[in-house]
């Protein structure tokens, strides 16, 4: 089970620049769907990557779905050379995205809102852009979520 509160606190304590996306963002906008992981788009500056590597070192990240014992170290160099990582940690499932359909941190930043989650202030992808991103991803579970998110958007705009 993912400990969302502890993951948010850990990211905040290390001043990680990120945008909340995916199922947790949908939940923040009022979705009734449950999510098992925390999805974030992280800013890919060298400073933020270094902080992210240090931060996550405290919760022992490992590639989700990888065979046990596969050598893996999530350090700044790994993050810089990679882009997207689906991880399991001591605090639960965390998906780190350097980029999603619709862009990287800088491309998405103007379409975010500031929210407070577990007492932590963070950036969350806006509902309209979240719908666009889910549509572009095209995965069956994303397409299924769009109808509910569109209803939430319609309600918010009334």
């Amino acid at each position: 089970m993912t400990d969302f509160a502890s993951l948010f606190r850990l990211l905040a304590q290390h001043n990680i620049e990120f945008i909340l996306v995916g199922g947790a963002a949908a939940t923040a906008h009022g979705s009734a769907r449950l999510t098992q992981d925390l999805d974030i788009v992280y800013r890919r500056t060298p400073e933020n990557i270094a902080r992210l590597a240090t931060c996550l070192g405290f919760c022992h990240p490992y590639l989700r779905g990888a065979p046990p014992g596969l050598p893996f170290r999530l350090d700044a160099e790994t993050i810089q050379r990679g882009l997207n990582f689906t991880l399991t940690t001591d605090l639960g499932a965390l998906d780190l995205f350097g980029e999603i359909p619709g862009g990287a941190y800088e491309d998405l930043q103007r379409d975010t809102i500031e929210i407070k989650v577990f007492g932590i202030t963070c950036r969350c992808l806006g509902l309209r852009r979240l719908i666009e991103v889910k549509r572009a991803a095209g995965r069956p579970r994303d397409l299924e979520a769009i109808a509910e998110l569109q209803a939430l958007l319609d309600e918010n705009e009334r």
Side-chain angles (χ1 to χ4, degrees):
M1 187 64 141
T2 300
D3 183 347
F4 290 95
S6 292
L7 279 171
F8 276 105
R9 277 194 294 276
L10 186 65
L11 294 168
Q13 288 167 352
H14 288 86
N15 298 313
I16 305 302
E17 295 175 90
F18 71 93
I19 298 169
L20 182 62
V21 297
T27 299
H29 286 293
S31 172
R33 291 176 176 266
L34 295 177
T35 186
Q36 299 298 316
D37 59 4
L38 181 62
D39 299 332
I40 65 169
V41 173
Y42 63 97
R43 188 174 218 160
R44 287 189 52 82
T45 61
E47 300 81 15
N48 198 53
I49 288 173
R51 289 191 306 268
L52 187 58
T54 299
C55 164
L56 294 179
F58 292 106
C59 59
H60 308 103
Y62 193 72
L63 294 171
R64 194 162 63 244
L70 180 74
F72 176 72
R73 183 178 66 213
L74 189 72
D75 57 13
E77 183 178 351
T78 301
I79 297 171
Q80 187 62 49
R81 289 181 183 220
L83 185 65
N84 298 336
F85 301 88
T86 55
L87 304 170
T88 185
T89 74
D90 294 345
L91 300 175
L94 174 65
D95 293 353
L96 300 179
F97 297 112
E99 188 174 286
I100 59 174
Y105 182 95
E106 289 76 12
D107 304 312
L108 300 169
Q109 191 173 14
R110 71 178 181 275
D111 294 317
T112 64
I113 59 170
E114 196 171 89
I115 63 169
K116 200 165 207 165
V117 183
F118 303 109
I120 306 297
T121 301
C122 69
R123 306 298 311 165
C124 178
L125 196 59
L127 190 51
R128 183 175 303 281
R129 188 68 180 267
L130 182 61
I131 292 168
E132 291 171 8
V133 164
K134 286 194 170 289
R135 188 169 283 123
R139 298 177 306 177
R141 68 177 177 214
D142 289 320
L143 297 175
E144 291 169 7
I146 290 173
E148 179 191 27
L149 295 175
Q150 186 62 54
L152 289 167
L153 179 64
D154 294 345
E155 185 178 310
N156 289 344
E157 290 181 344
R158 274 187 245 144

